[in-house]
Amino acid sequence: MKKMILMASVLISSCMLLKAGEKDYCIGEKVTFKSNILNEERTILVYVPATYYMSNAKYPVLYLLDGGTHFHHASGIVQFLSSNGLIPEMIVVGITNVDRNRDFTPTQLPQRNSSGGAEKFSEFIANELFPFMERNYRVQSYNILMGHSLGGTFATYSLLNHPELFNSYISISPYLMYDFNLMVRETRDKLKSKYPEGTQYYMTVGNEPNYFEALDQFAKFVKEKSPKGLEFKYVKMLDDDHGSGPHLSIYNGLLFIYDGWKPDNDIYQEGLAAIDKHYKNLSKKFSYEIITPEYTINLLGYNYLNNKDFDNAISVFQENVKRFPNSANVYDSLGEAYERNGQLDKAEASYSKSVEIAKQKQHPNLKIYRQNLERVQEK
């Protein structure tokens, strides 16, 4: 176990060095560890947001089946949506394949060698992968599963048999025809009458007529039972096919899961208390504490600053410093507010703190923070 943790730490550190040297662009780490349950080496690809190295925050996790195929574009979607405040920042874990025909299928079929390992794969996720992530990364207790084709079969299997593992699902062209529509047939009996509040299942299919009958029937059963706590959406993407569907499905699936995440513009007129209340309500929806993000508070501060309301701007930026004292950016923003209000001594002190933290954390905006400090010093 110590060796596993050390291996993960070394890989994370090497990725950070690549970022710091500005020679390569690193989007994640490759981590390999031994699974006793599956009796084999397993490899995962792990993306963490840039702020991971600048805070002590915990992050929800998006788990990707067929991780080697989907890791690159899915982590890009997460980075784009989170940077625009539409979803939270999150960790992305791509579970690379050893034998997807074995791991994703619920029953053994003679014509499919090694099939029928979904239950053991669920055991691997619950008892080895989740604990590994908890030991080595700052993960929040909120997990999303994405599965495509046979991966969607496993996502459905997980919803029906192990709903405690994942909070939400993005199921893309799930192969529910497997074993004579087994998952569809089991939906009537195994679909729970009640799920934990906030459980979401987003299912898509491309222009794939062979899938329609099984998926339509599955959707019909889910809607008939209407389990309490489960939000279900089924989308036919007739301009896409089996290969092109995953990208847009992940994008829209995350927007579906995090619908209402971004505060309405009107809330910024009401001030920080209203914004904090918005995230408190989100905490109830997602069943874990969600703090008001640094960038959201910063946006409020700049709204005041751009309206030349210096007192409120400074007050908001000071609160951001109080909440995120290890962030170079919050000190830089406070320095700007002081500078524009003519309080140059305070601006210099704040900019200096920003540069100091940025140096320690090898922040990509260090050059900008230095320029701000030098400008005020010249004044």
Side-chain angles (χ1 to χ4, degrees), residues 68-79:
T69 301
H70 298 297
F71 181 73
H72 197 158
H73 75 101
S75 59
I77 291 170
V78 167
Q79 189 279 331

Side-chain angles (χ1 to χ4, degrees), residues 65-95:
L65 302 178
D66 296 314
T69 301
H70 298 297
F71 181 73
H72 197 158
H73 75 101
S75 59
I77 291 170
V78 167
Q79 189 279 331
F80 177 78
L81 291 176
S82 62
S83 66
N84 283 280
L86 296 169
I87 67 172
E89 292 183 309
M90 64 179 65
I91 294 171
V92 179
V93 176
I95 308 172

Side-chain angles (χ1 to χ4, degrees), residues 147-159:
H148 175 225
S149 196
L150 274 182
T153 308
F154 180 82
T156 309
Y157 176 84
S158 186
L159 174 74

Side-chain angles (χ1 to χ4, degrees), residues 70 73 77 146 148 172 241-251:
H70 298 297
H73 75 101
I77 291 170
M146 188 288 293
H148 175 225
I172 306 162
D241 57 26
H242 195 74
S244 66
H247 189 80
L248 194 57
S249 295
I250 295 171
Y251 186 98

Side-chain angles (χ1 to χ4, degrees), residues 58 71 192 215 229 292 309 322 339:
K58 293 183 177 182
F71 181 73
K192 316 300 179 191
L215 270 59
T292 303
D309 185 350
K322 180 180 177 182
E339 181 184 1

Side-chain angles (χ1 to χ4, degrees), residues 143-379:
N143 300 311
I144 304 169
L145 178 65
M146 188 288 293
H148 175 225
S149 196
L150 274 182
T153 308
F154 180 82
T156 309
Y157 176 84
S158 186
L159 174 74
L160 297 179
N161 294 277
H162 299 288
E164 74 283 356
L165 290 182
F166 295 95
N167 303 86
S168 295
Y169 307 79
I170 300 173
S171 183
I172 306 162
S173 299
Y175 188 71
L176 300 188
M177 300 84 80
Y178 184 84
D179 196 0
F180 304 101
N181 292 9
L182 174 68
M183 291 288 92
V184 178
R185 290 184 282 113
E186 289 191 339
T187 299
R188 276 184 163 167
D189 295 328
K190 289 191 173 183
L191 191 69
K192 316 300 179 191
S193 60
K194 182 179 180 181
Y195 282 83
E197 195 65 34
T199 302
Q200 294 162 301
Y201 190 94
Y202 182 82
M203 183 174 74
T204 65
V205 66
N207 195 350
E208 307 166 79
N210 291 340
Y211 281 69
F212 291 165
E213 183 180 356
L215 270 59
D216 290 350
Q217 191 66 39
F218 173 78
K220 178 175 178 287
F221 289 160
V222 173
K223 290 177 180 178
E224 283 177 352
K225 198 159 188 177
S226 297
K228 187 177 180 182
L230 175 65
E231 189 175 0
F232 174 76
K233 187 171 184 179
Y234 173 35
V235 180
K236 288 183 176 177
M237 304 166 55
L238 299 182
D239 292 328
D240 285 280
D241 57 26
H242 195 74
S244 66
H247 189 80
L248 194 57
S249 295
I250 295 171
Y251 186 98
N252 288 331
L254 289 171
L255 290 179
F256 167 75
I257 291 168
Y258 289 104
D259 181 40
W261 180 267
K262 187 174 184 178
D264 293 334
N265 290 332
D266 293 344
I267 293 182
Y268 288 93
Q269 308 303 317
E270 301 176 35
L272 186 55
I275 294 173
D276 284 339
K277 183 178 179 181
H278 170 79
Y279 286 98
K280 187 175 182 180
N281 290 335
L282 288 176
S283 298
K284 294 178 182 177
K285 176 180 178 180
F286 291 99
S287 300
Y288 69 90
E289 183 182 9
I290 299 170
I291 61 173
T292 303
E294 173 193 326
Y295 63 80
T296 303
I297 300 174
N298 235 34
L299 181 59
L300 175 63
Y302 276 106
N303 281 349
Y304 287 129
L305 192 59
N306 292 334
N307 289 322
K308 297 184 178 181
D309 185 350
F310 298 116
D311 289 342
N312 273 324
I314 289 171
S315 177
V316 168
F317 288 135
Q318 285 175 334
E319 180 63 21
N320 221 10
V321 166
K322 180 180 177 182
R323 297 188 189 189
F324 302 96
N326 296 319
S327 167
N329 186 62
V330 296
Y331 288 98
D332 181 74
S333 297
L334 178 59
E336 184 178 350
Y338 281 137
E339 181 184 1
R340 290 174 62 175
N341 197 36
Q343 298 171 271
L344 298 186
D345 288 343
K346 290 185 176 181
E348 181 185 15
S350 195
Y351 281 142
S352 295
K353 186 66 175 177
S354 174
V355 169
E356 176 189 334
I357 295 173
K359 283 181 181 177
Q360 294 171 354
K361 297 183 178 292
Q362 301 174 330
H363 198 289
N365 291 336
L366 174 58
K367 184 177 179 180
I368 296 172
Y369 299 153
R370 275 179 173 153
Q371 290 173 344
N372 292 338
L373 173 60
E374 291 167 359
R375 182 184 63 250
V376 166
Q377 288 173 335
E378 288 175 2
K379 288 182 181 181

